[in-house]
């Protein structure tokens, strides 16, 4: 009988150690997932100047006292556009109170951070795009307990951004004389920059990919081939006399890129409502 009693005690001790070990592993996890916010319907047409929203979910969120989760962008590789405050701004959305106003008058603002403290299992953060290119963004979630790091994990997000500049310019081609009026030509042009790193080839032609465009401006379409950092046309030149043509619309309604890829369906990328500048 004594032997059985000892055996039961050993089993109980073993089970207790197993449960304790399992609980420790569970507590020292920082597993999370990042997803692209569903409010944006298309993620293949990102432009410089846009602010992207990402959703984050922490698995098995630990709400114990003294536990803090810290999210940090990984900023080690400039070729992958990972430099915070250079390639992008890593931002947190918070409520701020302008000077002299009441609490009820607080406004929501996006503040650039080096890291963000997450207080809920489900939260969001923002990325403001500063440069064009193919982004390979890495994020690390650190779990801290009593001011000590106890766990961490990482995840990557991939996307591409371009910089598009649409503009119009007028050139006087002939001076007025006693017998004739001055002559002018107005041009409608744009440029695309898809980045300056080796792998920044989002809209760049290659052996396996060719890019063309269709521009919709003032109710008319104009087609051409995309050439990166080269002047392209989105509407016919307009010749006038006496003075330059008045610009009919300061918005380029649509710029649609069609990527023809070997043995794959065409990839259609649509940029809408681009502001036109005066040069």
């Amino acid at each position: 009988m004594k032997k059985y009693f000892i055996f039961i005690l050993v089993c109980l001790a073993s089970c207790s150690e197993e449960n304790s070990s399992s609980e420790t592993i569970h507590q020292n996890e920082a597993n999370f997932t990042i997803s692209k916010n569903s409010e944006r319907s298309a993620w293949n047409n990102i432009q410089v100047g846009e602010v992207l929203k990402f959703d984050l979910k922490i698995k098995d969120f630990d709400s114990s006292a003294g536990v803090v989760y810290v999210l940090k962008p990984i900023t080690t590789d400039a070729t992958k556009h990972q430099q915070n405050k250079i390639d992008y701004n890593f931002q947190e959305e918070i409520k701020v109170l302008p000077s002299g106003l009441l609490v009820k008058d607080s406004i929501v603002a996006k503040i650039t951070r080096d890291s963000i403290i997450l207080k809920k299992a489900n939260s969001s953060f923002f990325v403001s795009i500063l440069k064009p290119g193919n982004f390979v963004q890495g994020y690390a979630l650190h779990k801290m307990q009593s001011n000590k790091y106890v766990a961490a994990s990482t995840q990557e997000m991939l996307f591409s951004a371009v910089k598009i500049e649409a503009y119009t310019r007028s050139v006087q081609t002939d001076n007025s004389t006693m017998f004739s009026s001055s002559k002018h030509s107005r041009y409608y042009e744009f440029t695309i920059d898809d980045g300056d790193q080796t792998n920044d080839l989002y809209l760049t032609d290659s052996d396996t990919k060719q890019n063309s465009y269709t521009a919709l401006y003032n109710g008319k379409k104009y087609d051409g081939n995309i050439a990166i950092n080269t002047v392209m046309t989105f509407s016919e030149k307009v010749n006038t006399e006496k003075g330059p043509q008045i610009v009919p619309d300061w918005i380029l309604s649509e710029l649609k890129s069609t990527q023809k890829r070997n043995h794959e369906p065409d990839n259609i990328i649509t940029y809408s409502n681009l502001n036109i500048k005066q040069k």
Side-chain angles (χ1 to χ4, degrees), residues 29-33 57-60 69 141 152-153:
E29 288 181 346
N31 295 329
F32 72 110
T33 57
K57 182 176 182 179
I58 301 173
K59 182 182 178 182
D60 298 322
Y69 291 92
L141 181 68
S153 61

Side-chain angles (χ1 to χ4, degrees), residues 44-104:
N44 66 349
N45 59 353
I46 299 167
Q47 296 180 62
V48 169
E50 288 195 70
V51 179
L52 309 178
K53 183 178 182 180
F54 295 94
D55 297 326
L56 184 145
K57 182 176 182 179
I58 301 173
K59 182 182 178 182
D60 298 322
F61 183 79
D62 189 346
S63 57
S64 305
V67 172
V68 174
Y69 291 92
V70 181
L71 181 69
K72 295 181 179 181
I74 296 170
T75 59
T76 55
D77 195 339
T79 66
K80 296 180 179 179
H81 297 285
Q82 293 181 346
Q83 300 173 102
N84 186 24
K85 303 175 186 176
I86 296 177
D87 296 303
Y88 64 96
N89 284 331
F90 176 61
Q91 296 181 324
E92 176 184 21
E93 192 172 71
I94 63 171
K95 287 186 177 181
V96 297
L97 183 64
S99 178
L101 296 181
L102 301 175
V103 174
K104 66 182 181 65

Side-chain angles (χ1 to χ4, degrees), residues 46-48 132-133 160-164 192-194 202-203 271:
I46 299 167
Q47 296 180 62
V48 169
S160 298
V162 301
K163 182 179 181 180
I164 302 175
I192 296 178
D193 183 359
D194 63 358
Y202 190 54
L203 295 181
Y271 303 94

Side-chain angles (χ1 to χ4, degrees), residues 1 7 52 87-88 91 94 103 110 134 152 155 195 198 219 243 258:
M1 182 70 179
F7 177 73
L52 309 178
D87 296 303
Y88 64 96
Q91 296 181 324
I94 63 171
V103 174
K110 294 177 178 63
N134 288 338
Q155 186 178 334
T198 304
T258 300

Side-chain angles (χ1 to χ4, degrees), residues 118-154:
L118 304 177
K119 300 177 181 179
K120 300 181 294 184
N122 296 288
S123 56
S124 299
F125 66 92
F126 300 84
V127 175
S128 177
I129 306 301
L130 303 178
K131 284 186 175 182
N134 288 338
F135 285 71
V136 183
Q137 286 201 318
Y139 293 94
L141 181 68
H142 299 267
K143 182 180 179 181
M144 299 181 66
Q145 192 163 21
S146 301
N147 294 321
K148 293 182 180 179
Y149 288 110
V150 295
S153 61
T154 61

Side-chain angles (χ1 to χ4, degrees), residues 60-275:
D60 298 322
F61 183 79
D62 189 346
S63 57
S64 305
V67 172
V68 174
Y69 291 92
V70 181
L71 181 69
K72 295 181 179 181
I74 296 170
T75 59
T76 55
D77 195 339
T79 66
K80 296 180 179 179
H81 297 285
Q82 293 181 346
Q83 300 173 102
N84 186 24
K85 303 175 186 176
I86 296 177
D87 296 303
Y88 64 96
N89 284 331
F90 176 61
Q91 296 181 324
E92 176 184 21
E93 192 172 71
I94 63 171
K95 287 186 177 181
V96 297
L97 183 64
S99 178
L101 296 181
L102 301 175
V103 174
K104 66 182 181 65
D105 298 318
S106 62
I107 60 174
V108 175
K110 294 177 178 63
I111 307 299
T112 299
R113 306 287 197 196
D114 293 313
S115 62
I116 297 174
I117 296 175
L118 304 177
K119 300 177 181 179
K120 300 181 294 184
N122 296 288
S123 56
S124 299
F125 66 92
F126 300 84
V127 175
S128 177
I129 306 301
L130 303 178
K131 284 186 175 182
N134 288 338
F135 285 71
V136 183
Q137 286 201 318
Y139 293 94
L141 181 68
H142 299 267
K143 182 180 179 181
M144 299 181 66
Q145 192 163 21
S146 301
N147 294 321
K148 293 182 180 179
Y149 288 110
V150 295
S153 61
T154 61
Q155 186 178 334
E156 282 188 346
M157 294 298 293
L158 311 178
F159 59 86
S160 298
V162 301
K163 182 179 181 180
I164 302 175
E165 290 189 338
Y167 58 89
T168 180
R169 59 188 179 90
S170 180
V171 177
Q172 184 170 321
T173 58
D174 202 356
N175 294 325
S176 61
T177 68
M178 186 181 297
F179 305 102
S180 64
S181 301
S182 61
K183 295 180 180 179
H184 304 259
S185 293
R186 180 171 289 284
Y187 297 84
Y188 295 90
E189 299 168 334
F190 72 100
T191 58
I192 296 178
D193 183 359
D194 63 358
D196 57 6
Q197 298 297 324
T198 304
N199 295 321
D200 291 342
L201 305 171
Y202 190 54
L203 295 181
T204 300
D205 283 350
S206 67
D207 293 337
T208 60
K209 180 183 66 177
Q210 286 74 46
N211 298 272
S212 61
Y213 72 88
T214 299
L216 176 61
Y217 174 70
N218 197 32
K220 298 179 181 179
K221 290 185 177 181
Y222 191 95
D223 299 322
N225 293 319
I226 291 179
I228 296 300
N229 291 319
T230 301
V231 174
M232 294 167 281
T233 300
F234 65 84
S235 185
E236 293 284 356
K237 177 182 71 171
V238 177
N239 298 318
T240 54
E241 294 185 5
K242 296 184 179 180
Q245 179 216 20
I246 297 174
V247 178
D249 194 344
W250 290 97
I251 297 292
L252 173 54
S253 302
E254 184 177 272
L255 184 65
K256 183 179 293 183
S257 167
T258 300
Q259 293 183 340
K260 291 193 175 295
R261 302 174 294 181
N262 292 355
H263 313 298
E264 292 183 38
D266 292 350
N267 184 28
I268 308 297
I269 307 167
T270 303
Y271 303 94
S272 302
N273 299 322
L274 303 171
N275 290 320

